[in-house]
Amino acid sequence: MSREDQILDAAEALIVHYGYDKTRVSEIAAEAGVSKGAIYLHFQSKQALMDGLLVRAMERYGEAWLEAVEADPRGGTIGGMYRNVLKAVKNSPLIEAMMSQDPRVLGSYLHAPDGLLRRAQMRSMRAEFIAEMQAVGCVRDDVSPAVVAHVMDMLGYGLLGAGEMKPREQIPPMEKTLELIGELLDARLTPPEAQSDAGKAVLRRVMSEGQDMMRELARSPDEAEER
Amino acid sequence: MSREDQILDAAEALIVHYGYDKTRVSEIAAEAGVSKGAIYLHFQSKQALMDGLLVRAMERYGEAWLEAVEADPRGGTIGGMYRNVLKAVKNSPLIEAMMSQDPRVLGSYLHAPDGLLRRAQMRSMRAEFIAEMQAVGCVRDDVSPAVVAHVMDMLGYGLLGAGEMKPREQIPPMEKTLELIGELLDARLTPPEAQSDAGKAVLRRVMSEGQDMMRELARSPDEAEER
DNA sequence: TCGTGACCCAAAAAACGAAACTGGTCATAC
DNA sequence: GTATGACCAGTTTCGTTTTTTGGGTCACGA
C-alpha cells in the first residue's frame, strides 16, 4: 500500500469519526505514521487531501456498485440499479456523509467554494443517464428523464435522511426498503421487454465517464467557478 | 373570527416569516391587536401557543387533503392520496416547515421536550393505515405495511428536503414529480380491482382519529414522555 | 534529496463585564 | 370581571481583551 493511501486511510478513519473540522493534519499524520511535512509532500493543502479522499471513496463506491449490478441478473434495470445501491454504500460512511451532505462529518468543507464536493455537485448527469436508458429500451418513453432523475434524488435523500426523523424501531431493514423501491421503479418505468445487459452497459460507460470527470475536477481546483 | 384565531393568525404570519425564536409574544400581540396579557388569557405559555398553532394548521391541512382526495375519482388509492398531498400542503408553509422540521422556522421549538411536535412524532399511524388499506383491497397483500409506510415517509422527506440540495433549475415542477410518484406507487401497490371509494372511507376515518389524538396531545402537555 | 517537527502568525476561541432583551406576572384601571 | 402594559428576573447579546489553536513553512539532519 502506498504512503498516500496510508495517509488517506488515516484521514478517512478520523474524519468519519470526528468530522473534518475536528480532525487536525497533525493527527492524520500521527495515525498514518508519518510527519506533518510528509502530508504536504503529497497534498497541497488539507482541503486537497479531503478532495483526494472523496475521489478515492467515489471510485471505490462506483466499483462496488458496478460489481453488484453485474452480479444481479436483473441489475440492469432502473429498479435493479437502485436495489444494489445498498451493497455499494455499505461500509462506506464517507459516501453516505457525502450524499446526505452531513455537516457533522463534512463541516466547513461543505462550504468551501473550491472544494470538490461543491464543484462536483453542480453537474448532474442523472437526467442524461435516464435518457440513455430510454434510448436502449430500459426505461419507458412516456416519462420525462428530468422528473425520473428528481424522484430518484428524492429517494436517495429520503433513504439517508428519513432514518434520522423516526425512532429506530419504526425503521424496517434497509434491504427490504430498497427491494420495494426497486419494485416500484420497475413496475412503472421498466418495459417488460427491457434488456438488463443493455442497461448494465449504459451504467458502465456513465460510471467510467463520471470517474474521469471527478479526477479532472480534483486536479484543477483553481478553475472552480464561484457560486 | 374569534380572538383566539386572530392571535393564531398573527402568530402564524410572524413565525412563518421570522421563525419561532425571533418572534416575540409582544409582537404577536401587536399584530393581533391585543395586549400581551390577553395572549396569556388564551395560552398558558408561548410554547402552548405554538402547540395550538400546529394543531390548527394540521386540522386545516387534513381537511384540505380530504377534500382533494374526495374530488379526485382515483383519489382513494395510495398513489391518488399521494398525488393530492400538494393540494393540501399548498399555501401552508407552516405544515411544510413542520414536516421537514425546518430549524429556520421552528428553531428552539424543535428541541422542546414537551412540545407538541416532539410528542406527536413518536406515534406513527402510517403502518396501521397501510394495513387498513390492504384490508379493503386497496393495497396488495404481498407487501409489508411497515416497509410501505417507511418508503412513503422517505418520499415525503425527500419531497421537502431534496429541493434544497440541488440548483433550482434542476428541479422539475412539483406537480409532475407528485404525478410520477403516484404512478410508481399505484403501479406496484394498487390491485387493478381496487375500489377508490373504499380507500377514501379509510382515509376519512383515520384523519378523524388523528385529529382527535392531536387535540388530546395539545391538551395534556404534562403527560409527555422524555425521549 | 527527502523527511522531519519546531516555529510563525493569522485566525479562532475563550473569558469577562456591561447592556439589552423578553417570557411571564400582576397591581391597577376600566 | 376582564384587559392592560409596567415591571421583574433570568437569559442572551455584544464589544473588547486575552489566550489558544493549527494550517502551512522551511532550516536542518540523515
Side-chain angles (χ1 to χ4, degrees):
Chain A
M1 187 200 286
S2 74
R3 193 165 73 169
E4 184 161 322
D5 272 328
Q6 277 179 309
I7 293 171
L8 291 174
D9 285 350
E12 179 162 16
L14 294 169
I15 290 172
V16 155
H17 189 268
Y18 297 110
Y20 176 77
D21 290 324
K22 283 192 176 297
T23 300
R24 306 194 227 108
V25 176
S26 59
E27 288 169 335
I28 296 172
E31 180 76 15
V34 301
S35 69
K36 202 160 65 148
I39 301 281
Y40 289 93
L41 292 176
H42 294 276
F43 302 98
Q44 195 176 26
S45 63
K46 186 183 183 186
Q47 186 188 285
L49 194 161
M50 184 64 176
D51 285 349
L53 184 55
L54 291 178
V55 165
R56 190 182 77 153
M58 287 297 292
E59 280 175 2
R60 292 181 174 180
Y61 157 72
E63 283 157 16
W65 189 24
L66 212 43
E67 268 180 47
V69 160
E70 296 281 14
D72 182 345
R74 297 185 297 115
T77 65
I78 283 289
M81 290 171 187
Y82 209 96
R83 187 167 55 243
N84 286 289
V85 155
L86 173 66
K87 295 187 176 74
V89 172
K90 200 177 188 179
N91 294 332
S92 187
L94 192 57
I95 290 298
E96 186 166 329
M98 180 182 177
M99 286 179 169
S100 58
Q101 302 197 357
D102 187 346
R104 295 166 302 184
V105 174
L106 299 176
S108 64
Y109 182 80
L110 272 172
H111 314 298
D114 57 343
L116 179 67
L117 188 65
R118 182 69 73 92
R119 287 184 279 121
Q121 194 187 333
M122 296 167 104
R123 313 180 191 202
S124 169
M125 299 173 67
R126 196 72 70 94
E128 292 100 82
F129 172 69
I130 302 299
E132 293 196 45
M133 290 288 276
Q134 283 177 320
V136 300
C138 288
V139 167
R140 293 183 195 272
D141 285 336
D142 65 342
V143 288
S144 158
V147 177
V148 174
H150 187 58
V151 166
M152 294 184 76
D153 285 342
M154 282 173 52
L155 286 165
Y157 187 85
L159 185 69
L160 299 176
E164 301 186 1
M165 307 267 288
K166 302 166 74 174
R168 188 164 288 280
E169 61 270 18
Q170 284 184 15
I171 300 174
M174 174 76 82
E175 284 173 6
K176 287 196 169 293
T177 300
L178 286 167
E179 186 70 28
L180 180 60
I181 294 174
E183 290 173 8
L184 292 179
L185 292 168
D186 278 341
R188 172 62 184 86
L189 299 175
T190 304
E193 68 276 10
Q195 300 291 315
S196 182
D197 285 345
K200 289 178 181 178
V202 170
L203 183 63
R204 265 196 296 272
R205 184 162 49 72
V206 168
M207 294 298 289
S208 176
E209 289 168 1
Q211 286 182 355
D212 290 344
M213 185 186 76
M214 289 292 266
R215 286 194 208 91
E216 198 61 32
L217 280 171
R219 243 190 315 268
S220 51
D222 298 325
E223 293 169 56
E225 296 171 341
E226 297 295 329
R227 281 197 75 179
Chain B
M1 189 198 285
S2 75
R3 193 164 75 166
E4 185 162 321
D5 271 329
Q6 277 179 309
I7 292 170
L8 291 174
D9 283 351
E12 179 163 16
L14 294 170
I15 289 171
V16 154
H17 189 268
Y18 296 110
Y20 176 78
D21 291 324
K22 282 190 179 294
T23 300
R24 307 194 229 109
V25 176
S26 60
E27 288 170 333
I28 295 173
E31 180 76 15
V34 302
S35 68
K36 202 161 65 150
I39 301 279
Y40 289 94
L41 293 176
H42 294 274
F43 303 97
Q44 195 177 25
S45 63
K46 185 184 183 186
Q47 184 188 288
L49 193 161
M50 185 65 178
D51 286 348
L53 183 56
L54 291 178
V55 165
R56 190 183 78 156
M58 288 296 291
E59 279 173 4
R60 290 180 176 182
Y61 157 71
E63 284 156 15
W65 188 26
L66 211 44
E67 269 180 47
V69 161
E70 297 280 15
D72 182 345
R74 298 184 296 117
T77 65
I78 282 291
M81 289 170 187
Y82 209 96
R83 187 167 55 243
N84 286 288
V85 155
L86 175 65
K87 294 187 176 70
V89 172
K90 199 179 190 177
N91 292 332
S92 186
L94 191 58
I95 291 297
E96 187 167 327
M98 180 182 179
M99 287 178 169
S100 58
Q101 303 197 356
D102 187 347
R104 294 166 300 184
V105 175
L106 299 174
S108 65
Y109 182 81
L110 273 172
H111 315 297
D114 56 344
L116 179 67
L117 188 65
R118 184 68 71 91
R119 288 184 279 121
Q121 194 186 333
M122 297 167 105
R123 309 177 192 208
S124 168
M125 298 173 66
R126 197 72 69 93
E128 293 100 85
F129 172 69
I130 303 297
E132 293 194 46
M133 290 288 278
Q134 282 176 321
V136 301
C138 286
V139 168
R140 293 181 195 272
D141 286 336
D142 64 342
V143 287
S144 157
V147 177
V148 174
H150 186 57
V151 166
M152 293 184 76
D153 286 341
M154 282 172 53
L155 285 165
Y157 187 85
L159 186 69
L160 299 175
E164 301 186 4
M165 307 268 287
K166 302 166 72 171
R168 187 164 291 279
E169 61 270 18
Q170 284 183 16
I171 301 175
M174 175 76 83
E175 284 174 5
K176 287 194 169 292
T177 300
L178 287 167
E179 186 71 28
L180 180 60
I181 293 174
E183 289 172 10
L184 292 180
L185 293 169
D186 279 341
R188 171 63 182 87
L189 298 176
T190 304
E193 69 276 11
Q195 300 291 316
S196 183
D197 284 344
K200 289 178 180 179
V202 170
L203 183 64
R204 268 195 294 274
R205 186 163 48 71
V206 167
M207 294 298 291
S208 176
E209 289 169 2
Q211 287 181 354
D212 290 343
M213 184 186 77
M214 288 292 268
R215 286 193 208 92
E216 199 60 32
L217 281 173
R219 248 193 308 271
S220 50
D222 299 325
E223 294 169 57
E225 296 172 339
E226 297 294 330
R227 280 199 74 179

